[in-house]
Amino acid sequence: LKKKTEDLKRERQLAEDLLHQMLPKSVAKQLRKCQKVEAENYDQVTIFFSDIVGFTSIAASCTPLQVVEMLNNLYICFDSRIESYDVYKVETIGDAYMVVSGLPERNGTKHADEIAKMSLDLVAAVRQVVIPHMPMGRLQLRAGIHTGPCVAGVVGYKMPRYCLFGDTVNTASRMESTSLPQKIHISSATYDALLTDDAYEIELRGEIEVKGKGKMKTYWLLGNKNYSVQN
């Protein structure tokens, strides 16, 4: 009986660990208690989007299994690195990678700094990811960041997902889509948030036309004066 109880505890822990990889702990706890998870408003968060440059042509030149292996290698690398920062991975859609800081646990004014350090890390890390079927090839990342308010909540019943809503999400996505290879494109709001400690090397990109937003003044995030990315 004691052995079976220990086995049951171990299995329950494994199930909980898996659930916490799919949903925030606070949300998972409410769902386990069959409680309704209310959507929550956040005044300030920082959202990061990235995707792989030329992914469509890379995917067209290899088999579906090779695409899965390539993305798995990439996401294992990214997932292990973001654990060093106060961020939450929202989701991956194909080659797109979405991360947020400032929710579900609020962290004051740290969210822009955490995402900025993480993004510098990921842009450096992607060059080390080996493409199994293209040993001489290297992946390139295109990244975008925006800071602002958003709403977060659980959507769905059969396969619940923790989703973010609001214009901040759309603008962060636009920062990524108008970025360049191996570049981190940031909005004026994120630029202002990073100015507080004068730790970042940032270059003005200028005004660009952003779909659905009109003219926007944006910047390139180049580095951090006090921080070097992980080896």
Side-chain angles (χ1 to χ4, degrees), residues 101-196:
S101 182
L103 66 79
E105 304 300 328
R106 291 173 173 82
N107 57 3
T109 58
K110 287 174 52 185
H111 47 85
D113 181 53
E114 292 294 319
I115 287 288
K117 287 189 292 189
M118 180 210 73
S119 62
L120 290 167
D121 195 350
L122 297 190
V123 166
V126 72
R127 304 294 290 163
Q128 300 169 25
V129 177
V130 176
I131 311 173
H133 59 284
M134 295 168 60
M136 301 305 293
R138 282 294 178 267
L139 298 174
Q140 288 186 301
L141 206 64
R142 182 171 48 229
I145 305 173
H146 179 55
T147 301
C150 83
V151 171
V154 175
V155 175
Y157 170 69
K158 286 289 185 184
M159 196 174 174
R161 286 176 57 212
Y162 188 68
C163 299
L164 310 188
F165 302 94
D167 190 58
T168 300
V169 180
N170 300 331
T171 305
S173 179
R174 294 284 184 240
M175 290 298 100
E176 179 273 313
S177 62
T178 53
S179 186
L180 295 173
Q182 291 300 102
K183 289 275 196 178
I184 303 167
H185 192 203
I186 67 173
S187 65
S188 293
T190 301
Y191 171 75
D192 291 341
L194 293 176
L195 279 182
T196 52

Side-chain angles (χ1 to χ4, degrees), residues 9-72:
K9 282 182 180 178
R10 192 159 44 248
E11 289 298 324
R12 182 179 293 170
Q13 188 61 52
L14 287 170
E16 284 189 8
D17 290 345
L18 180 60
L19 184 60
H20 293 159
Q21 287 173 16
M22 300 167 67
L23 292 166
K25 287 186 179 181
S26 55
V27 171
K29 188 177 180 180
Q30 291 178 71
L31 289 175
R32 283 204 308 273
K33 292 180 178 178
C34 298
Q35 296 174 349
K36 184 181 179 183
V37 182
E38 298 290 344
E40 194 167 353
N41 185 65
Y42 295 85
D43 294 332
Q44 284 284 295
V45 301
T46 298
I47 299 173
F48 166 93
F49 275 96
S50 71
D51 74 356
I52 300 302
V53 177
F55 177 74
T56 304
S57 58
I58 293 172
S61 67
C62 53
T63 68
L65 283 176
Q66 287 173 330
V67 174
V68 171
E69 189 177 7
M70 175 180 69
L71 288 179
N72 193 45

Side-chain angles (χ1 to χ4, degrees), residues 89-100:
K89 176 184 169 183
V90 181
E91 62 182 347
T92 54
I93 307 169
D95 64 317
Y97 197 80
M98 180 184 181
V99 184
V100 64

